[in-house]
Amino acid sequence: MKLKYLICNLKAHKTFYEMELYKDGLRNINKGNLELIIAPSSVYLSLFKNEDITLCTQDLSINSNLNLTGDINIEALKSLNVKYAIIGHYDRRKYYQEKEDIILKKINLALENNLKVIYCIGETKEELERKVEYQVLEKQIAKIINNIPRNKFKDIIIAYEPTYMIGTNINPDFKKIETTINFIKNIIDNYYHGKIEVVYGGNITIDNINELKKINNLDGFIIGNSSLNPANIKKIVDKMILK
């Protein structure tokens, strides 16, 4: 299956000067037909407005119409040519206690304003050990997809990130990932009669990308630590677009 996306979540890393150098490093990447999506900290979004990449926000406010102190207004994001929003990431669920009701509001706000959504789901290590990971994923899918118009499915990417793989050096279980990707796509197809693209995230490196890209039914990757160096991104992209 042809890979379509490489999503780079930079989280809160880098100073202004470091981000300027980072931006310059991205200009040497031959993306081919791959969509390279960069999600810097919101304070740096304007640096990338005129670059030849797809720009993504890591968050947005559900109270955009109120213009509250510290919020990220969706109109401001659109004025910076932001095309995607990461919503439901484990960091937000864990440290900011974001539940599905808040996540759904953010997703619908993004979709109503023509931003595409990267919706993050994933089980914890404890849920994996209890063998309830598929129930957890189905629940995370259902609470959102049940409340989104089917004609908006094309504007959503599901990012499957097992939470115990984020920011670790644990070797991915390629067969388990493939089984889970198929499970997610079958849920969307069989229960909601639609198609949603799915990407994988969790300890993706230059060393394992060749094996990961062989996973059937996968549409791309979302990377964290490996995205902090443009040279790494270039090597990963080169491997992704190599037949």
Side-chain angles (χ1 to χ4, degrees):
M1 185 171 184
K2 188 174 182 180
L3 297 169
K4 302 176 183 177
Y5 309 100
L6 181 63
I7 304 159
C8 300
N9 180 10
L10 305 184
K11 300 195 176 184
H13 292 280
K14 299 191 182 296
T15 64
F16 179 81
Y17 176 68
E18 290 170 340
M19 196 61 82
E20 283 193 314
L21 294 177
Y22 182 89
K23 177 187 70 173
D24 292 341
L26 294 178
R27 291 174 178 156
N28 299 319
I29 297 175
N30 173 23
K31 302 182 292 294
N33 293 322
L34 193 71
E35 186 168 13
L36 178 61
I37 302 170
I38 302 292
S41 174
S42 60
V43 297
Y44 301 130
L45 284 167
S46 62
L47 280 175
F48 295 87
K49 179 182 178 182
N50 298 314
E51 297 299 311
D52 183 26
I53 57 171
T54 304
L55 198 53
C56 176
T57 179
Q58 297 177 20
D59 194 26
L60 53 84
S61 170
I62 59 172
N63 299 303
S64 282
N65 60 317
L66 299 179
N67 295 310
L68 299 178
T69 303
D71 272 1
I72 304 173
N73 184 291
I74 200 160
E75 289 302 323
L77 293 172
K78 290 168 65 179
S79 73
L80 294 172
N81 294 332
V82 170
K83 303 298 183 185
Y84 284 87
I86 295 174
I87 302 177
H89 192 279
Y90 181 62
D91 290 350
R92 306 295 306 183
R93 293 177 188 261
K94 180 178 180 180
Y95 295 104
Y96 293 91
Q97 288 77 52
E98 288 191 2
K99 306 298 183 185
E100 261 69 22
D101 58 335
I102 297 296
I103 292 169
L104 178 61
K105 286 180 181 179
K106 288 185 176 184
I107 289 176
N108 276 321
L109 179 64
L111 294 174
E112 288 164 8
N113 285 274
N114 299 314
L115 289 189
K116 296 184 178 182
V117 170
I118 299 163
Y119 172 48
C120 301
I121 65 173
E123 76 278 9
T124 65
K125 185 176 181 181
E126 183 264 342
E127 288 163 344
L128 176 69
E129 291 172 345
R130 286 172 42 220
K131 301 186 185 302
V132 296
E133 68 270 31
Y134 294 117
Q135 293 95 309
V136 168
L137 295 174
E138 186 170 358
K139 184 177 179 181
Q140 290 174 340
I141 293 168
K143 286 193 172 181
I144 301 303
I145 303 303
N146 273 327
N147 296 288
I148 292 173
R150 192 174 304 164
N151 66 351
K152 291 292 186 179
F153 284 11
K154 62 180 173 36
D155 296 323
I156 299 175
I157 297 171
I158 290 179
Y160 169 57
E161 292 189 289
T163 64
Y164 47 88
M165 294 293 295
I166 298 173
T168 71
N169 292 316
I170 301 171
N171 289 325
D173 183 336
F174 305 117
K175 186 61 180 176
K176 176 72 171 177
I177 295 168
E178 182 171 297
T179 299
T180 305
I181 297 297
N182 287 331
F183 171 81
I184 293 168
K185 289 201 169 186
N186 286 336
I187 288 284
I188 303 298
D189 187 16
N190 295 333
Y191 288 92
Y192 303 99
H193 308 294
K195 306 290 183 184
I196 291 181
E197 295 172 317
V198 181
V199 300
Y200 168 75
N203 191 30
I204 296 167
T205 69
I206 298 166
D207 296 326
N208 62 29
I209 191 68
N210 279 334
E211 288 300 315
L212 283 165
K213 77 175 190 178
K214 296 176 184 176
I215 294 173
N216 290 322
N217 227 5
L218 188 62
D219 296 294
F221 302 101
I222 179 169
I223 59 177
N225 289 341
S226 292
S227 71
L228 299 180
N229 185 337
N232 286 342
I233 296 177
K234 183 180 186 304
K235 291 175 183 177
I236 289 173
V237 168
D238 286 346
K239 290 176 182 288
M240 288 178 68
I241 63 178
L242 187 65
K243 294 182 180 180

